[in-house]
Amino acid sequence: MTTLSKKSGWYLLLTFFVSMLFYSCNNSNIEESPSQTPSNQRNGLAGAGDYDILTTTDGFTFTLEIDQDNAQDISHLVFQLMTCEGEYVTIDNFVSATVNGMDWDLTSTTGSGTDCTFDTGDFVKFDDFGFQGGVVTVEFTLDVQAASGTVLIKSGQGCYPFDFEGDCGDDEECVYVTESFEIFAGQTILVGELLVTNDEENLYITYSSTSDDQFAETHLYVGTLEGLPTNRRGTPVPGQFPYKTDHDPAVSSYTYTIPLADLPDCYIIAAHAAMTSDETAWSFGDEFEGTRRWGWYSSYCTQVCE
């Protein structure tokens, strides 16, 4: 009986030490196992939505350069835009769309498995991004002008909104009309036309021959009627006109460019020429008063684009 009891005691003691050793090994394995924390938290990406975004637009074409180096990679974008008339832009208003220069398919539904969307109104989704780091360039063109927009950037579990401005500037180009005045040599011979127009900065006056007769000299006055150079008898003196050119060789067309800043809103144009036929020529208009010499001047007002 005594011998059996001693053996049982040693057996129980040995079992206890083996159990403690097994428990210690298991605890060591648990402490050294990889963390189960989500990767964005494990890597310390506290600024997951810190995207640097540059936008440019003329109201029709929008370009967004999205730098995702300091944030999570983008999975998709959802755009909502308002027209200059206060209506939602729809997917039908998109003429083209690219991402990093590649044509991109668009959808007008959120899809399953995401709550990154707008509660009301139309929106357009750029789906299936797979660009890692770097700058993502999104460009799209509309057939209407947009006043403003919001893009939701979906990445990981986050949904980050970004507002941007559009442009409701006048999309119609200003059209400046060209006026034409006939040029007569020797009072009765039609030899060409004087073409007059302007833009926002300059007045353009072009002598243009429509015959075999060419311009050997051109003399031009633009200003008030009272400022027209004349002699004591009131006869215009083309040689004293402020804009003049000797053309050697003779030309069939010549344009003077005059800054509008030097002119009043309305003024006269007296265009004189010496032709290769040795005839004197004037552009047609109102006759000069107080002189027996023939000649004309025309009236013109600067066109303003409003």
Side-chain angles (χ1 to χ4, degrees), residues 73-296:
D73 293 339
I74 300 169
S75 62
H76 65 260
L77 303 175
V78 184
F79 284 90
Q80 186 172 77
L81 300 105
M82 298 297 294
T83 70
C84 295
E85 289 72 33
E87 299 177 351
Y88 287 107
V89 172
T90 71
I91 193 170
D92 294 332
N93 294 126
F94 278 71
V95 177
S96 63
T98 63
V99 178
N100 286 355
M102 297 178 288
D103 292 337
W104 214 258
D105 293 330
L106 307 178
T107 64
S108 56
T109 58
T110 303
S112 59
T114 178
D115 57 357
C116 191
T117 186
F118 295 94
D119 294 334
T120 59
D122 295 288
F123 58 84
V124 175
K125 182 181 180 184
F126 286 65
D127 211 350
D128 298 328
F129 278 50
F131 306 100
Q132 296 182 351
V135 176
V136 177
T137 301
V138 178
E139 183 173 285
F140 55 86
T141 298
L142 309 174
D143 61 6
V144 293
Q145 278 185 296
S148 61
T150 298
V151 58
L152 301 179
I153 302 175
K154 177 65 175 177
S155 62
Q157 300 300 313
C159 183
Y160 308 99
F162 175 76
D163 297 325
F164 54 93
E165 295 296 322
D167 188 346
C168 290
D170 187 3
D171 61 316
E172 295 183 1
E173 293 185 2
C174 193
V175 177
Y176 296 95
V177 177
T178 298
E179 294 193 37
S180 175
F181 304 94
E182 295 174 318
I183 298 177
F184 288 95
Q187 289 188 272
T188 59
I189 305 170
L190 180 62
V191 294
E193 58 183 347
L194 191 76
L195 305 175
V196 183
T197 190
N198 68 271
D199 57 19
E200 293 182 355
E201 297 182 354
N202 297 306
L203 174 70
Y204 304 97
I205 299 178
T206 300
Y207 288 76
S208 178
S209 174
T210 57
S211 67
D212 293 335
D213 215 355
Q214 293 187 311
F215 303 106
E217 301 175 19
T218 51
H219 311 93
L220 179 67
Y221 171 80
V222 180
T224 63
L225 182 59
E226 295 75 18
L228 178 71
T230 62
N231 60 22
R232 288 182 295 178
R233 296 180 179 179
T235 301
V237 183
Q240 296 180 10
F241 287 1
Y243 306 100
K244 51 191 174 184
T245 304
D246 291 333
H247 304 285
D248 186 14
V251 296
S252 59
S253 179
Y254 189 78
T255 299
Y256 287 94
T257 300
I258 303 170
L260 292 176
D262 299 339
L263 301 173
D265 293 338
C266 294
Y267 34 87
I268 70 163
I269 298 172
H272 176 271
M275 309 302 294
T276 52
S277 63
D278 292 331
E279 292 283 359
T280 295
W282 288 91
S283 64
F284 187 72
D286 297 319
E287 291 185 354
F288 294 112
E289 296 181 357
T291 179
R292 291 181 293 178
R293 296 287 186 91
W294 72 277
W296 305 283

Side-chain angles (χ1 to χ4, degrees), residues 10-23:
W10 281 107
Y11 177 79
L12 291 174
L13 183 61
L14 179 61
T15 301
F16 173 77
F17 279 114
V18 170
S19 298
M20 291 298 294
L21 179 62
F22 180 79
Y23 177 79

